[in-house]
Amino acid sequence: MTVPRDVYLPVAAQPSVDTLVELTRRAEGLGYERAWLPETWGRDAVTTLTSVAERTESIGLGISIANVYSRSPALLGQTAATLQEVSDGRFRIGLGPSGPIVVEGWHGVDFEQPLKRTREAVEIVKTVLRGDQLNYDGDIFQLSGFRLRHEPPEPRPGVDAGGLGPKSVELAGRFADGWHALMLTRDGLRDRLADFDRGAELGDRDRSEQRVTLSVPCCVLPDGERARDLVRQHVAFYVGGMGTFYRDSLARQGYEETAHTVAERWANGDHDAATAAIDDDLLDELAVAGTPEACRDRIERFAEIDGVDALSVSFPRAAEPDDVDATMAELAPQ
């Protein structure tokens, strides 16, 4: 069976909401199944996806990932219900803790008990989406009395979870409807899929009803070296500049020396040296980057991994709009 192909809209801030709408319309025309919108330092995902939903017809839409600190779980549930309504049943939400740089630095909230908070948020959002009365007695949230004042959405949108480490991925398998995987080699992904499957078994979940979405950094251009440089910079930024989570994840996958070298050089302000530490072999293990001739088959190595239910084409943070458009076209579903 062919693995569905999604698109992960650019992380970097775009010129306008219209730009994101047009990128999604382009993806829809190319046959991508779903467009995921990250919520980082640009426009908020909820308002943006509302605009996208009103101006697209068939492509699925989703937030990947909404962090569980900046909005309450009840509000996340309301948001998912509303976006499912305005998109005519095309919405799916991904939840996760993000990290202390974002949560504490941007939102001023203590980054405490991220796994437990994610688990409880997933459970609460699902309760809201069922239309049930919310009476929840958790370790973090003690809630009572809330219930949607309108009919719950049909179909109910999937509630996924993000995660990099073994425990967070097991949690996704046990409590969520899917897992968002990223920055993983093929061997590293297989290890985490075992964690997800174990969680699904512990939660007595039907694995066939869960969706593992793998996001792969991609850049496919006639100038193959430029494409590879853009993705190399992207990987170095995440490993070196986004806290310890990506560094630790890369180390767990057998690249401990590289992970610490990148992080150390980045912390010292030598971003070029940090980028150079991502060698060609590692780049090809994590990403799809180069000329169209080199990359058309390369992406299939990720799609062929047993347990991957959808493959999401993502883009390096420094990619220009033309780079995004060219990559999306070259890697479009056949």
Side-chain angles (χ1 to χ4, degrees), residues 21-274:
V21 171
E22 289 308 312
L23 283 171
T24 309
R25 287 167 59 90
R26 171 78 163 140
E28 185 175 59
L30 288 168
Y32 286 92
E33 182 168 293
R34 184 173 298 272
W36 295 100
L37 182 66
E39 188 169 69
T40 53
W41 50 85
R43 295 169 183 86
D44 80 275
V46 178
T47 309
T48 304
L49 279 183
T50 301
S51 296
V52 172
E54 291 291 332
R55 294 160 63 183
T56 54
E57 296 180 1
S58 60
I59 191 169
L61 304 173
I63 299 176
S64 178
I65 295 287
N67 86 72
V68 295
Y69 290 88
S70 59
R71 296 182 181 91
S72 75
L75 177 58
L76 285 166
Q78 288 178 275
T79 298
T82 306
L83 278 168
Q84 183 73 324
E85 180 180 352
V86 300
S87 68
D88 294 324
R90 293 183 281 142
F91 183 68
R92 194 173 182 102
I93 190 167
L95 303 177
S98 188
I101 289 177
V102 171
V103 171
E104 296 181 350
W106 300 2
H107 299 294
V109 179
D110 290 337
F111 188 72
E112 295 178 342
Q113 298 181 285
L115 291 182
K116 189 165 290 185
R117 192 180 187 103
T118 300
R119 168 186 169 171
E120 293 190 9
V122 168
E123 291 178 325
I124 292 164
V125 169
K126 285 188 165 189
T127 301
V128 171
L129 292 173
R130 288 195 300 268
D132 294 344
Q133 177 106 355
L134 184 55
N135 294 297
Y136 191 86
D137 184 18
D139 292 329
I140 303 216
F141 298 103
Q142 296 82 44
L143 310 173
S144 63
F146 177 83
R147 188 173 188 168
L148 288 176
R149 295 183 65 183
H150 55 82
E151 289 298 311
E154 286 294 340
R156 286 197 296 271
V159 181
D160 300 333
L164 292 172
K167 290 298 182 183
S168 61
V169 177
E170 182 182 293
L171 178 149
R174 188 172 181 181
F175 297 101
D177 299 319
W179 168 47
H180 289 233
L182 74 165
M183 209 64 76
L184 290 166
T185 66
R186 285 167 293 165
D187 287 342
L189 176 62
R190 291 184 182 98
D191 289 340
R192 297 291 76 80
L193 281 167
D195 298 324
F196 184 82
D197 290 343
R198 182 171 59 253
E201 185 176 351
L202 288 170
D204 197 24
R205 306 296 305 279
D206 183 344
R207 179 63 179 83
S208 68
E209 295 181 356
Q210 295 175 301
R211 189 182 202 262
V212 171
T213 302
L214 171 64
S215 177
V216 180
C218 298
C219 193
V220 184
L221 304 171
D223 184 346
E225 284 307 308
R226 179 170 178 272
R228 292 179 70 80
D229 287 344
L230 286 170
V231 177
R232 206 185 307 270
Q233 293 163 15
H234 179 86
V235 173
F237 169 77
Y238 274 86
V239 174
M242 288 297 287
T244 62
F245 295 100
Y246 294 98
R247 181 199 72 192
D248 292 346
S249 175
L250 189 59
R252 273 193 300 270
Q253 297 173 74
Y255 295 91
E256 184 173 6
E257 183 176 349
T258 298
H260 287 284
T261 298
V262 172
E264 181 180 349
R265 291 176 178 176
W266 194 277
N268 290 334
D270 195 346
H271 295 178
D272 288 342

Side-chain angles (χ1 to χ4, degrees), residues 5-23:
R5 197 162 295 179
D6 297 348
V7 64
Y8 194 94
L9 294 169
V11 172
Q14 297 300 299
S16 66
V17 171
D18 283 345
T19 304
L20 290 161
V21 171
E22 289 308 312
L23 283 171

